[in-house]
Amino acid sequence: MTAVLMTSELRADSLSDIAAAAEAAVAEGRTLDAVALGDRFAAAVWDASPLAVRKAVLVDSEPAAFGADTPRSDNLFRMDEEIHLYVEPVAFGWKQTAQGWETDFVADVRIADTSGRIIAAHKSFAEFRIASPQPTREVFLAMTYVFGGLGPGDYVVTTTLHDRIKGDAVAFPTSIGIR
C-alpha cells in the first residue's frame, strides 16, 4: 500500500508536497520510497527552474566527458589560438524522440573589450543536440572559439545558451587575454 500511495495517490506535484512525502518516508524507514521521492523532487526542481550554467571553465583541450575537465592555469592565449570552454548547463529540457531523448541548444557569442565595447558577435555559432536513452542531468558542452584577427588585449567573451525545448536562455561571461 505504501508504494501505491507514493506513485498514484500522491498527485500533487508541488515541491513542498513532494518534500513532505519524502520526509515522511525517511521518518518511517521507507528508504526506497524516500529515494524515489527525492529523485522526483530533484526532477520537479529541474523542470521548474530556469536554464542556468553550473560550471563554465577554460580548459587546455576539448573535453571528452562529463566532469573530466581540467581547468586551464590561466586565461591568456596567443592570437588565433583555440580557446576551449567546458560548460555544464542545468535545468534544461529534454524532448522524446523515436530513439530516446534529446536536448536542443543553440549558442550565440559576443566579444567585448573590458570597457564593454562590442568587438564582434555571432548568433547561432553552434548547435548542441545530445541524445540519450533517458534524460540525464550529467551533460556538458564543449565549446571551441577561434577569434581570428583579435589583437592583443583583455576581452570578455559572453556566451548565450538558448534551450529550444524549454524556451529559456542564459548568458555567461568568460574573461580572456590575447598576448
Side-chain angles (χ1 to χ4, degrees):
M1 180 161 178
T2 300
V4 172
L5 174 66
M6 182 192 76
T7 58
S8 65
E9 291 180 23
L10 184 64
R11 297 184 202 290
D13 280 339
S14 78
L15 295 175
S16 59
D17 289 344
I18 298 168
E23 266 188 322
V26 168
E28 295 166 10
R30 296 182 289 119
T31 302
L32 296 179
D33 288 346
V35 169
L37 285 160
D39 290 344
R40 185 171 164 193
F41 181 81
V45 167
W46 185 278
D47 291 342
S49 299
L51 178 64
V53 171
R54 174 188 358 240
K55 187 177 196 180
V57 295
L58 293 166
V59 292
D60 286 322
S61 60
E62 187 172 325
F66 180 83
D69 61 295
T70 303
R72 186 177 168 97
S73 62
D74 62 33
N75 69 340
L76 302 177
F77 297 87
R78 295 181 316 277
M79 288 177 45
D80 299 327
E81 181 180 358
E82 287 187 346
I83 299 169
H84 298 284
L85 193 59
Y86 171 92
V87 179
E88 289 181 8
V90 296
F92 53 85
W94 285 95
K95 67 180 175 184
Q96 195 159 18
T97 67
Q99 293 77 33
W101 295 84
E102 184 178 83
T103 64
D104 189 0
F105 296 109
V106 65
D108 304 334
V109 65
R110 184 183 71 217
I111 303 103
D113 62 20
T114 55
S115 69
R117 185 175 61 93
I118 296 173
I119 307 296
H122 191 318
K123 291 214 173 274
S124 303
F125 84 91
E127 291 188 11
F128 302 93
R129 288 196 174 104
I130 301 164
S132 178
Q134 295 294 322
T136 179
R137 295 182 196 119
E138 293 182 346
V139 166
F140 77 98
L141 306 175
M143 297 183 181
T144 302
Y145 298 114
V146 179
F147 301 122
L150 194 60
D154 294 323
Y155 301 94
V156 177
V157 177
T158 301
T159 306
T160 302
L161 187 62
H162 302 271
D163 178 347
R164 293 191 280 203
I165 295 171
K166 283 181 76 174
D168 285 347
V170 63
F172 53 95
T174 306
S175 295
I176 64 166
I178 303 295
R179 303 295 183 247

